Amino acid sequence: DSGVTQTPKHLITATGQRVTLRCSPRSGDLSVYWYQQSLDQGLQFLIQYYNGEERAKGNILERFSAQQFPDLHSELNLSSLELGDSALYFCASSVGAGSYNEQFFGPGTRLTVL
Amino acid sequence: AQSVTQLDSQVPVFEEAPVELRCNYSSSVSVYLFWYVQYPNQGLQLLLKYLSGSTLVKGINGFEAEFNKSQTSFHLRKPSVHISDTAEYFCAVSDIGGAQKLVFGQGTRLTINP
C-alpha cells in the first residue's frame, strides 16, 4: 500500500459525459501527479500540482482539467468523453516538486467509455 | 524533449536465471533516470533511481542498474529472478532543472517460468 488513495476504482460511462476522478496523496506529500495509461499510448504524464498550484503540464487534452485543493487532495475532470479516453488513470504523490523525488502511485481508476 | 526506448516488450526467463531489461534514452540535457515496477492490477513502485554519482545503482528486491552516459543507456539487471518478479517494468527519464516531468518507456513485461 503506497498510501495514495484513488476513487473510484472503476468507472463506466458513455461518450459525451463528464467524470471526476479523485486522489488523496500520502500524508505530508505536497505534490500530486496525474498519469494516463493506455494500450496504444503507454504511460503518459498529464499534469502536476504542488501545494495547490500547477507545476508542470504534459499531454493533457483541453477537455481535461485538474486542481489541487487546500487539503492537498486532487481531482481530475474529464469532459466530452470519447471512446479513446478509456484508460487507467493514476495519481502519484511526492514530498517535493522536483522530479528527483520518489513518486508514490495510487492503485488507479479504470475508466471505460462506451 | 526526452524519449525512452525499452528494447524488449516481453522477456521470458526461467526462475533463478539472470535477467537484463534494456533501456535507452534520448535527451539534449542531463537527466535523472528511474526504473519502476508494476505488479498485476497495482500502481507503479520505484525500484531504483540514478540522480548523480556512482553509475551503478542498487535498488529494492535485488535489482541494480548501470548508467552509461556515452551509450545513453540505463539497463536493469538481476542475477537470479524469482516467480514474484513477474511484472511490467518501466524505465523513465526526467530532465534536470527543466519541466521535471517523467517520460516513460513503453514497458517490458517480465515473465518468470518455473
Side-chain angles (χ1 to χ4, degrees):
Chain A
D1 184 358
S2 66
V4 177
T5 59
Q6 289 187 248
T7 56
K9 287 189 176 175
H10 303 276
L11 201 48
I12 302 174
T13 188
T15 54
Q17 295 299 303
R18 172 190 168 95
V19 297
T20 297
L21 312 184
R22 183 188 169 99
C23 168
S24 293
R26 287 188 329 154
S27 176
D29 284 358
L30 299 179
S31 252
V32 169
Y33 310 78
W34 286 98
Y35 293 89
Q36 180 194 59
Q37 186 178 35
S38 62
L39 283 175
D40 53 345
Q41 300 282 341
L43 192 58
Q44 295 214 40
F45 167 74
L46 295 178
I47 198 163
Q48 176 197 6
Y49 280 83
Y50 176 74
N51 205 18
E53 305 225 343
E54 184 182 302
R55 182 75 177 208
K57 214 165 186 175
N59 300 324
I60 187 166
L61 301 171
E62 283 193 16
R63 301 184 285 109
F64 295 2
S65 65
Q67 58 184 129
Q68 186 179 27
F69 294 87
D71 67 352
L72 301 177
H73 91 273
S74 178
E75 292 180 358
L76 178 67
N77 299 297
L78 316 176
S79 62
S80 303
L81 285 167
E82 302 174 1
L83 295 177
D85 297 328
S86 295
L88 198 49
Y89 291 84
F90 286 110
C91 168
S93 72
S94 65
V95 171
S99 61
Y100 49 83
N101 291 288
E102 178 176 355
Q103 294 184 26
F104 294 85
F105 282 73
T109 292
R110 184 170 294 282
L111 174 66
T112 303
V113 182
L114 301 175
Chain B
Q2 301 88 36
S3 67
V4 178
T5 302
Q6 291 184 240
L7 297 156
D8 306 294
S9 59
Q10 295 188 61
V11 173
V13 296
F14 287 106
E15 196 172 14
E16 298 184 5
V19 69
E20 179 179 78
L21 306 184
R22 297 179 293 166
C23 171
N24 285 91
Y25 69 93
S26 172
S27 177
S28 56
V29 299
S30 296
V31 296
Y32 299 128
L33 293 154
F34 307 80
W35 275 98
Y36 279 84
V37 60
Q38 184 178 25
Y39 297 105
N41 301 313
Q42 293 186 30
L44 280 73
Q45 179 184 4
L46 181 68
L47 273 179
L48 47 78
K49 61 182 176 182
Y50 172 79
L51 303 182
S52 66
S54 172
T55 58
L56 183 62
V57 180
K58 293 193 183 297
I60 62 171
N61 301 338
F63 284 93
E64 64 180 33
E66 184 147 25
F67 170 53
N68 188 318
K69 189 173 182 180
S70 63
Q71 297 189 4
T72 61
S73 68
F74 191 54
H75 300 334
L76 181 71
R77 296 191 292 257
K78 185 169 182 177
S80 174
V81 295
H82 303 287
I83 293 284
S84 59
D85 293 323
T86 296
E88 186 118 22
Y89 292 79
F90 292 91
C91 180
V93 63
S94 74
D95 60 339
I96 297 173
Q100 301 198 11
K101 58 182 183 181
L102 282 179
V103 175
F104 285 89
Q106 286 294 101
T108 297
R109 183 169 298 277
L110 177 63
T111 304
I112 312 299
N113 299 304

